Amino acid sequence: MSDNEEEEENWSWMQGICAGLDPPTLWSGERVSGQNKAQHRRENKRARIAKQEAQPSASYWTRHRGDFVMPPPAGKNRTEWKGDMCPQNLALHHPAAAKLLEYATGGCPCNTGKPWTKEQIWAAVERGPHKSALEEDAIAQLEGEIAEKVKAKQCKVVLWDDIKDNPPEQLKISPLAMIPHKSRKYRAILDLSFRIKLKNGEEVPSVNEGTTLEAPAGAIDQLGHSLQRIIHAFAQADEDSKIFMAKFDIKDGFWRLQCADGEEWNFAYVLPQRAGEPVRLVVPWSLQMGWVESPPYFCAASETGRDVAAQYAETPVG
């Protein structure tokens, strides 16, 4: 590949990343929310198939060239930020750096629709957690987990009686479930797709249904397609090649990113407790498993990490 061809390829890659940092929209230009996400999925599938059909045959394997030159520092690294994600050093040169710095300092925007009324909030609190979370061993496990997360400043616990007459504007309550898990007895899942039913029969749209998507659209373009590419890469390898694989898991990944100030109340839930104890609400500062926007926010950070790691890998050996 000539220098000009490589420069054009890099420019095309940069343009693609910058476009992928924008929130998703339908082909009509309409913003994507819980109400039209099915149409968004259909359009994404059609676009992906069209791109695959137009894509020329290519190898997924590259050789180390060691020709990456570290750029000069792009300003000072921050010493204070929200949560556990903040781009540093080489990551500050990445096209997504400004967007990630926005999340690291101001939190991730959580636009979950119009505020709930006091009647809706009270009904959600009365409904409480899923019955799976009311088992004694589930309550005991959750008590320990919440204590750890409070200590790590990932959530707070408030008494319902202290706020019920004047609830925060963004307060929404979703039921918590405790699901059997392979490495521990339960895994806590917040059901953000649950609709609260009022006494008059009216249903309150779930947090996911009310969410307008704000996270970068390009962050999860490859989600669900990695296995196919890995199989294809293995099939391309020479017969005598020895292939080494590694998989890294970031513990509590979504919990590493925090909500924008005041918007943490969108993900509150009733803490499962024993009979006779006062009602408490858990209010997570961090993004939650089960929220439709958590994967793209997290992948915006992890995909940037992947790009930066690839650049470090291309530095000269020695």
Side-chain angles (χ1 to χ4, degrees), residues 1-119:
M1 181 183 292
S2 69
D3 290 344
N4 287 339
E5 288 174 329
E6 185 172 356
E7 186 175 333
E8 288 179 6
E9 183 178 310
N10 289 338
W11 174 244
S12 177
W13 175 75
M14 291 278 285
Q15 286 182 310
I17 287 182
C18 291
L21 293 174
D22 295 329
T25 59
L26 298 180
W27 289 350
S28 64
E30 182 182 353
R31 292 289 299 277
V32 178
S33 68
Q35 305 299 319
N36 58 20
K37 65 181 181 182
Q39 175 66 21
H40 179 55
R41 278 199 297 266
R42 288 192 292 270
E43 292 180 356
N44 270 352
K45 184 175 181 179
R46 292 170 192 161
R48 184 173 63 251
I49 291 173
K51 287 180 180 179
Q52 289 172 339
E53 290 175 344
Q55 181 177 343
S57 178
S59 173
Y60 288 107
W61 299 98
T62 59
R63 290 186 178 277
H64 180 264
R65 296 184 296 180
D67 56 3
F68 180 74
V69 178
M70 291 290 291
K76 294 182 179 179
N77 289 331
R78 290 182 174 271
T79 56
E80 294 184 5
W81 55 84
K82 292 173 67 72
D84 295 324
M85 185 283 298
C86 188
Q88 308 278 327
N89 303 318
L90 185 55
L92 294 175
H93 290 271
H94 193 279
K99 182 66 69 175
L100 295 183
L101 282 171
E102 176 187 328
Y103 302 156
T105 54
C108 299
C110 304
N111 184 354
T112 65
K114 65 181 182 180
W116 285 9
T117 65
K118 187 181 291 187
E119 178 191 8

Side-chain angles (χ1 to χ4, degrees), residues 203-218:
E203 288 190 342
V204 183
S206 69
V207 170
N208 276 341
E209 286 178 311
T211 296
T212 297
L213 305 190
E214 304 276 359

Side-chain angles (χ1 to χ4, degrees), residues 190-223:
L190 188 58
D191 189 356
L192 293 162
S193 294
F194 188 87
R195 287 185 167 193
I196 302 297
K197 182 173 286 188
L198 304 181
K199 292 179 180 179
N200 62 7
E202 175 191 349
E203 288 190 342
V204 183
S206 69
V207 170
N208 276 341
E209 286 178 311
T211 296
T212 297
L213 305 190
E214 304 276 359
I220 53 174
D221 277 353
Q222 304 302 320
L223 201 65

